[in-house]
């Protein structure tokens, strides 16, 4: 079964840059689009990146997404960190059978 | 503006069937799009349950497939989830969501509804 692995938690200071990785268990992560969601406590997830590196309207350009085929990973990078960025972040993709897969989630602490 | 709203019992007994409905407003389900159910156990991550295209094609998480049914009711502009033989492990916040298809993101999400499995 295809799986996506994320670090359990990351932390960084306000104003700095943080990168959250999402590693595919098999195949090429570059073959299927990766989405990233932000989830604040008590709220539904919202999209911050879709189709690897596209930002929905309203999402600041401090958020960016990329794919690294050499490590079979996707990454979400947040620059100029703000305390409001503190949340859980999930990557999501799909496998060859069109089954949706979520990563386990990464808790971002901005301290 | 597309809005989704889950509804259904907040408490289900073990071995019974969990039934939830997602009412869609601001968009006609019969026009297209891709609809799904995602759940989140307390303190844990997101788990995809299954999805359905407006055409009726369904895709289910293999780990839940034997217990899940997702259907669309275009006359009521809603889609539904049934999960049979529930146990305490099925206790979670259940979200309905909509998007352009499996290759892209879920654009729209309901607020989520907590379903507790307990006698």
């Amino acid at each position: 079964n295809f799986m996506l692995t994320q670090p359990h938690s990351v932390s960084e200071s306000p104003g700095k840059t943080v990168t959250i990785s999402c590693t595919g268990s098999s195949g090429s992560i570059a073959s299927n689009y990766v989405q990233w969601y932000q989830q604040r406590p008590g709220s539904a997830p919202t999209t911050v990146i879709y189709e690897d590196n596209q930002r929905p309207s309203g999402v600041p350009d401090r958020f960016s997404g990329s794919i690294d085929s050499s490590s079979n990973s996707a990454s979400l990078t947040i620059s100029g960190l703000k305390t409001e960025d503190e949340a859980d972040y999930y990557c999501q993709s799909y496998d060859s059978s069109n089954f949706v897969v979520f990563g386990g989630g990464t808790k971002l602490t901005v301290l | 503006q597309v809005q989704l709203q889950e509804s259904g019992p907040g408490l289900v007994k073990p071995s019974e069937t969990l039934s939830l409905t997602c009412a869609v407003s601001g968009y006609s389900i019969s026009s297209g799009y891709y609809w799904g159910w995602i759940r989140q156990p307390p303190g844990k991550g997101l788990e995809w349950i299954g999805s359905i295209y407006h055409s009726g094609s369904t895709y289910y998480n293999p780990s839940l497939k034997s217990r899940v049914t997702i259907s669309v009711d275009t006359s009521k502009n809603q889609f539904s989830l049934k999960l049979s033989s529930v146990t305490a492990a099925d206790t979670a916040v259940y979200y309905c969501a909509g998007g352009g298809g499996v290759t892209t993101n879920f654009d729209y999400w309901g607020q989520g509804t907590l379903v507790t499995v307990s006698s």
Side-chain angles (χ1 to χ4, degrees), chain A residues 36-84:
Chain A
W36 289 91
Y37 300 92
Q38 177 191 71
Q39 186 181 35
R40 295 193 173 100
S43 296
T46 60
T47 305
V48 291
I49 294 290
Y50 68 99
E51 295 177 5
D52 294 344
N53 55 20
Q54 303 299 303
R55 260 189 329 273
S57 59
V59 174
D61 60 6
R62 300 186 296 107
F63 290 80
S64 62
S66 63
I67 300 293
D68 180 354
S69 297
S70 65
S71 60
N72 207 37
S73 293
S75 293
L76 171 69
T77 299
I78 310 171
S79 60
L81 275 170
K82 299 184 176 184
T83 54
E84 67 202 48

Side-chain angles (χ1 to χ4, degrees), chain A residues 33 37 39 47 51 90 94 100, chain B residues 40 95 102-106:
Chain A
Y33 284 132
Y37 300 92
Q39 186 181 35
T47 305
E51 295 177 5
Y90 294 89
Y94 51 97
V100 172
Chain B
Q40 185 170 37
Y95 295 100
V102 68
T103 62
T104 190
N105 61 309
F106 286 107

Side-chain angles (χ1 to χ4, degrees), chain A residues 33 35 37 39 42-47 49-51 56 90 92 94 97-104, chain B residues 34 38 40 44-48 51 53 59-62 95 102-107 109-112:
Chain A
Y33 284 132
Q35 298 26 273
Y37 300 92
Q39 186 181 35
S43 296
T46 60
T47 305
I49 294 290
Y50 68 99
E51 295 177 5
Y90 294 89
Q92 176 252 303
Y94 51 97
S97 299
N98 285 344
F99 296 152
V100 172
V101 178
F102 285 97
Chain B
Y34 167 83
I38 296 102
Q40 185 170 37
K44 296 188 177 180
L46 302 171
E47 179 182 32
W48 174 70
S51 299
Y53 280 93
Y59 299 85
Y60 299 138
N61 186 322
Y95 295 100
V102 68
T103 62
T104 190
N105 61 309
F106 286 107
D107 287 298
W109 293 69
Q111 66 185 19

